[in-house]
Amino acid sequence: MLRDAATETALPLIGIYEISKVLGSTLDMDKALHDVLNILSSYLHMRHGAIVLRDPEGEALEISAVAGMSLKLARSGELRYPMAAVAKVVQTGIPMVVPDAADEPLLAEYIAHGQGEDDEPVSFFCVPIKTTGKPLGALSVERSWEGGVRHVFEHDLRFLTMVATLVGQTVGLHHKVAADRGRLLEQNARLAKQMEEVKPAVPVQGLEDIVGNSEAMGRVFAQVQQAAPTKATILLRGESGTGKEMIARAIHILSPRSAKAFIKVNCAALAESVLESELFGHEKGSFTGASAERKGRFELANGGTLFLDEIGEISAPFQAKLLRVLQEGEFERVGGSKTIKVDIRLVAATNRNLEEAVAKNEFRADLYYRLNVVPIFLPPLRERQGDIPLLAMYFLKRFNEENGRQLTFSAEALANLQGCFFPGNVRELENCVTRSATMCRGAVVTEMDLSCRRDTCLSSVLWNIQRPANPPVAPIMPSAPPPQPAPQPAPPMVAAAPPPPPPSAAAIVPPPAPDLTEADLSERERLVQAMEKCGWVQAKAARLLGLTPRQIGYALKKHGIEIRQL
């Protein structure tokens, strides 16, 4: 007798355990609910059971799973399932326990329709399925009186209430997952549509491949369209990776010379002797290996456009030769004496501060004035952050076309890219997108697929080591060099004050930091010292300060330390 009592006590616990295993083992909601009813049938010896749930998009109730009867017949109404009684339980949130279902008007027709030959009395249980909000549905169970003996229903009601709570938690979780999945699919569809519609902000021939709708790029587009139809020499200024070659090609396409050749030369990639032959050509036998006459780039570009990239890197002797061609429009081939006249449109580009180079006698002033006719300054990517999502989607679209994939960006990934510093500008962004897309294992490039979120982006270290001391800026050239003050001897035992910086250095001095309290200044200095000690690697500095990478990222932003790409 004691063993029977212990068994009766253990059965509900075993049933709860089995039901929790079923609900947590599959994502198929219909199968999980059907298995729950089968377990209840085993432990409660129930005749029929059903789970009714609300429609996630409305208030309608629908039978989701049944046991001991046909789901199709139950849904069609042929079995007379008492939806009115269940709806009352769902509406009030109060369980219904009917010892003899035949005595309840809401159940009489259903019980009479389903009774078999034994004609035993049937009890009906219906408990709401809910968690913390309004009920999501109801769980109903029918039990026959074994031998005509009425049961004590408190234990069954308590057990069914616990089961309904487990079912409610699972159903609520599935609804939330389905809603999140729907939002994600909608977001991906919207981003995919945006990627298909990525176009340049200015739909002008020649600018189709230049993506950007920021105010800074709008000024560049306007300058290009204004200057391209003329014959004026154009000097493109800007950091490496800002798209100077694409702008040069756009200038050629928008000019009257678009039907002629567009010839480009990277002056920094060739030695002086080779560069001279490349630009001016050479006669047969002019040097070892010159087995035939060869036209230079100036001749090939005759009537068209010649683009000289990295013009600030050419040597002083070659600068004089180039100046003559630009002034007179004529030259001689290497080893030749015949003067050749050409008609070209010159577009040059550099990332150097030519004004400082002229001041240091590293670049000829007369060549500088010949080149600097119409300067166009291309903004770095950090000054046009609104263009980063468009550029990122453009590069991802091109990656998909080249590799046969269908990747999209999550909104969080695009927001994270937009907050990065990108010292390598558009070229670095393109590499970042390609790297993230290549290593992405799913269909969506998420925030955690980006190198900066895994502390594997080393551009911050490179920026700290190779920070340009002379970025190209709009020149402010005085008419004459300012007089230098006579040096004053320092008094004995007192160190002389450092000399003031030259005028050209004014453009590269960072703006003064905002006024900080003593406590803020101390914390900011500790951050800077830790970052410098760790080579500007965020993860190492975080470990040194006892912080997490996320915490140190917030601290850097709080104090205005320009490491926004981390």
Side-chain angles (χ1 to χ4, degrees):
M1 187 69 179
L2 291 175
R3 188 179 355 176
D4 293 341
T7 302
E8 290 295 330
T9 304
L11 280 177
L13 296 178
I14 297 173
I16 292 294
Y17 172 69
E18 294 295 335
I19 288 173
S20 63
K21 283 201 308 182
V22 166
L23 293 175
S25 62
T26 179
L27 294 177
D28 187 343
M29 195 64 190
D30 294 336
K31 180 180 184 303
L33 297 180
H34 185 266
D35 290 344
V36 168
L37 291 176
N38 286 337
I39 294 174
L40 289 178
S41 179
S42 299
Y43 282 90
L44 293 181
H45 306 289
M46 70 180 187
R47 190 176 70 163
H48 294 156
I51 293 178
V52 177
L53 297 176
R54 289 181 185 272
D55 183 353
E57 299 180 356
E59 296 295 324
L61 294 176
E62 183 181 28
I63 301 176
S64 298
V66 296
M69 54 181 162
S70 167
L71 178 61
K72 181 179 179 181
L73 294 178
R75 286 179 173 176
S76 67
E78 190 171 336
L79 296 182
R80 310 289 195 277
Y81 182 77
M83 290 297 293
V86 174
K88 184 177 179 181
V89 172
V90 174
Q91 183 178 1
T92 62
I94 301 174
M96 173 185 286
V97 179
V98 183
D100 189 349
D103 297 337
E104 171 60 46
L106 294 176
L107 305 173
E109 185 179 4
Y110 168 61
I111 296 301
H113 185 273
Q115 279 185 332
E117 296 179 356
D118 50 10
D119 200 22
E120 294 179 345
V122 175
S123 300
F124 184 83
F125 299 83
C126 186
V127 294
I129 296 174
K130 61 181 180 179
T131 52
T132 56
K134 64 181 182 179
L136 303 173
L139 166 65
S140 69
V141 170
E142 305 159 36
R143 294 191 66 180
S144 299
W145 293 6
E146 298 176 2
V149 179
R150 183 181 300 196
H151 290 273
V152 178
F153 301 114
E154 288 80 1
H155 298 296
D156 292 346
L157 182 61
R158 189 180 302 115
F159 176 64
L160 288 173
T161 302
M162 289 189 290
V163 172
T165 300
L166 289 176
V167 172
Q169 291 173 347
T170 304
V171 170
L173 179 61
H174 275 257
H175 286 175
K176 187 176 186 305
V177 170
D180 291 344
R181 182 175 181 272
R183 282 194 297 269
L184 181 61
L185 291 175
E186 181 182 352
Q187 183 183 82
N188 288 344
R190 185 174 66 254
L191 291 175
K193 184 177 180 180
Q194 289 178 358
M195 292 176 64
E196 292 294 331
E197 297 176 352
V198 169
K199 295 179 180 179
V202 183
V204 177
Q205 182 184 7
L207 300 176
E208 298 91 343
D209 293 331
I210 303 176
V211 179
N213 56 11
S214 62
E215 181 180 354
M217 288 306 296
R219 290 194 295 268
V220 172
F221 292 148
Q223 291 173 345
V224 167
Q225 294 180 69
Q226 182 73 20
T230 69
K231 296 182 179 181
T233 299
I234 295 179
L235 179 61
L236 301 178
R237 310 288 297 272
E239 297 177 6
S240 178
T242 51
K244 294 187 286 293
E245 182 177 334
M246 296 185 68
I247 294 295
R249 186 177 295 275
I251 291 171
H252 171 70
I253 294 174
L254 293 171
S255 72
R257 301 170 179 261
S258 58
K260 300 293 184 177
F262 174 75
I263 305 296
K264 56 184 180 180
V265 181
N266 189 330
C267 300
L270 302 173
E272 179 181 346
S273 57
V274 178
L275 181 62
E276 183 177 3
S277 175
E278 283 291 324
L279 290 180
F280 304 143
H282 59 257
E283 298 289 350
K284 179 179 180 180
S286 58
F287 54 86
T288 303
S291 57
E293 175 188 287
R294 180 183 178 184
K295 291 183 178 181
R297 302 298 177 92
F298 274 96
E299 285 184 80
L300 295 176
N302 189 27
T305 303
L306 178 64
F307 173 52
L308 298 182
D309 198 6
E310 303 293 351
I311 191 70
E313 306 301 324
I314 60 177
S315 64
F318 192 77
Q319 292 175 23
K321 298 177 182 179
L322 182 61
L323 178 63
R324 182 202 170 205
V325 180
L326 299 181
Q327 286 179 335
E328 307 297 336
E330 58 185 30
F331 62 93
E332 291 83 28
R333 293 176 183 161
V334 176
S337 57
K338 179 182 176 181
T339 299
I340 301 172
K341 294 188 69 68
V342 290
D343 174 24
I344 64 164
R345 167 64 170 296
L346 180 67
V347 178
T350 182
N351 60 3
R352 290 191 63 187
N353 188 328
L354 291 184
E355 293 73 37
E356 184 172 311
V358 171
K360 293 180 178 180
N361 292 324
E362 296 175 355
F363 198 86
R364 292 179 63 104
D366 47 4
L367 179 58
Y368 166 80
Y369 294 124
R370 175 61 62 179
L371 294 173
N372 194 40
V373 179
V374 179
I376 296 178
F377 294 85
L378 303 189
L381 195 55
R382 59 184 174 273
E383 295 180 6
R384 44 182 291 221
Q385 289 185 321
D387 293 337
I388 291 179
L390 286 175
L391 287 164
M393 291 190 290
Y394 175 83
F395 292 137
L396 186 60
K397 177 184 177 183
R398 192 165 67 184
F399 177 88
N400 288 337
E401 294 172 351
E402 294 174 353
N403 296 275
R405 301 184 67 178
Q406 298 294 328
L407 297 176
T408 59
F409 277 114
S410 70
E412 293 78 10
L414 287 176
N416 193 80
L417 285 174
Q418 193 169 6
C420 289
F421 193 62
F422 290 117
N425 296 298
V426 178
R427 184 182 294 115
E428 183 183 359
L429 173 60
E430 180 180 6
N431 294 339
C432 179
V433 171
T434 302
R435 177 170 59 249
S436 302
T438 300
M439 303 307 294
C440 177
R441 297 185 179 182
V444 179
V445 180
T446 65
E447 181 183 11
M448 297 311 298
D449 290 317
L450 305 178
S451 299
C452 56
R453 304 308 299 168
R454 300 195 303 266
D455 291 327
T456 57
C457 180
L458 301 180
S459 65
S460 59
V461 179
L462 180 64
W463 183 244
N464 183 55
I465 296 174
Q466 298 183 348
R467 184 183 297 272
N470 53 348
V473 295
I476 304 177
M477 297 294 293
S479 57
Q484 297 294 330
Q488 298 294 331
M493 303 300 295
V494 177
S504 59
I508 63 174
V509 176
D515 293 334
L516 300 171
T517 65
E518 182 177 355
D520 288 339
L521 183 60
S522 177
E523 183 179 354
R524 190 178 193 278
E525 286 180 342
R526 287 198 301 271
L527 282 169
V528 173
Q529 290 174 0
M531 293 296 290
E532 289 178 346
K533 186 175 181 180
C534 297
W536 293 89
V537 177
Q538 181 179 344
K540 292 182 180 180
R543 288 193 293 270
L544 180 64
L545 296 174
L547 303 173
T548 65
R550 185 177 295 273
Q551 287 174 330
I552 198 170
Y554 289 152
L556 293 171
K557 291 181 180 179
K558 171 186 174 183
H559 294 288
I561 300 174
E562 293 187 354
I563 309 297
R564 290 181 294 171
Q565 71 274 27
L566 295 181

